[in-house]
Amino acid sequence: MAFGRSSRDRRPVEPVTLKILVAGGFGVGKTTMVGAVSEIRPLRTEERLTEAGRPVDDLEGVEAKTTTTVAMDFGRITLREDLVLYLFGTPGQDRFWFLWDELAQGALGAVVLADTRRLEDCFAAVDYFERRAIPFAVAVNCFEGADLFPTGTVQAALDLDPEVPVLLCDARDRSSVRDVLVAVVEHALARVDAPREPATT
C-alpha cells in the first residue's frame, strides 16, 4: 500500500513574491491603503507639510492633511501560502516624480487609487503606467461625502481601455483592499499569458 507524505514530511512552500505599486494623486489614500492590508508594520516616509511647500502642494479638497509621503510606503501581504505581495506606495506630488522610475522597476502591476472629487489627479499615474505597459487597475476610494459613480462612468472619464479593471473600494478596509490587489494580480497575469499578435513584415 502506498502512503502519501505526512504533513510533517512536506517541505515548506517557497512563495512567489510579486511587486505591486500603489499610486495616485496627493491625499488620495495610498498610505492608508498600504497600512490597512499590510501584515507587517508598514514602512512610512511621511513628513509634516510646511509653509514652504504650500506653493507646490495643492491642498484643495484635502485641506485637513498635515503630512505627506516623501519617498514611499512599503508593506507586505500574503495572498496565499505560495504568493506574497510587496506593496510600494508612491509619493503623490509632482516634485517627487523622479522616484517613480526607481520604484517601478520589476513591478508586476499597479493600483491607481482615485478620488471622484478630484479625478483629474490620477491622470498622470494612468498615463505613466500606460506608457510603460505596466498592467494596472483603478480603485475608486469611496470617501465619505463623495459622489459615487458607476465603474463604467469612471472608466469612460479616465478614457481607459475596456480590459482595465475599475473597482470601488474603501482604502481603510483590509478585505476591500485585498480584493483590489487580487484584481490587479489577475489582470497582470492575464496580460502575461495573453497570446501576442504576430509581428507584421
Side-chain angles (χ1 to χ4, degrees):
M1 178 180 288
F3 293 94
R5 283 188 179 182
S6 71
S7 59
R8 290 179 303 175
D9 296 332
R10 290 178 191 160
R11 293 180 180 177
V13 175
E14 187 67 30
V16 173
T17 57
L18 303 174
K19 181 179 183 180
I20 302 292
L21 299 185
V22 179
F26 179 55
V28 77
K30 300 180 295 295
T31 299
T32 300
M33 173 175 262
V34 173
V37 79
S38 181
E39 63 199 14
I40 62 171
R41 183 177 180 180
L43 169 67
R44 293 177 174 155
T45 57
E46 288 198 307
E47 296 292 341
R48 292 192 64 80
L49 291 167
T50 64
E51 286 299 320
R54 284 191 177 276
V56 291
D57 293 334
D58 181 12
L59 296 179
E60 184 177 351
V62 286
E63 291 83 2
K65 189 169 174 61
T66 59
T67 61
T68 184
T69 299
V70 296
M72 67 173 185
D73 299 308
F74 173 77
R76 184 188 73 197
I77 176 175
T78 302
L79 287 185
R80 297 189 317 238
E81 181 186 10
D82 60 346
L83 181 58
V84 174
L85 302 185
Y86 289 125
L87 308 177
F88 291 80
T90 65
Q93 303 100 307
D94 293 348
R95 59 193 169 115
F96 295 122
W97 270 81
F98 67 92
L99 294 169
W100 280 50
D101 287 341
E102 193 73 28
L103 291 174
Q105 288 187 20
L108 174 78
V111 177
V112 175
L113 199 56
D115 178 354
T116 57
R117 300 169 300 181
R118 304 189 305 156
L119 199 57
E120 66 279 1
D121 287 0
C122 69
F123 284 148
V126 168
D127 184 60
Y128 182 90
F129 296 126
E130 285 181 340
R131 286 178 180 272
R132 287 157 182 79
I134 297 174
F136 67 95
V138 172
V140 178
N141 195 4
C142 299
F143 286 94
E144 188 174 345
D147 291 332
L148 293 180
F149 297 95
T151 55
T153 301
V154 175
Q155 191 159 39
L158 293 175
D159 194 25
L160 300 174
D161 291 336
E163 69 270 12
V164 175
V166 179
L167 305 95
L168 302 179
C169 79
D170 182 344
R172 303 165 299 180
D173 182 76
R174 179 181 175 84
S175 63
S176 181
V177 175
R178 189 182 185 282
D179 289 345
V180 170
L181 296 174
V182 169
V184 171
V185 172
E186 290 178 345
H187 174 55
L189 294 179
R191 283 271 301 271
V192 169
D193 294 337
R196 295 187 179 183
E197 292 291 329
T200 57
T201 56

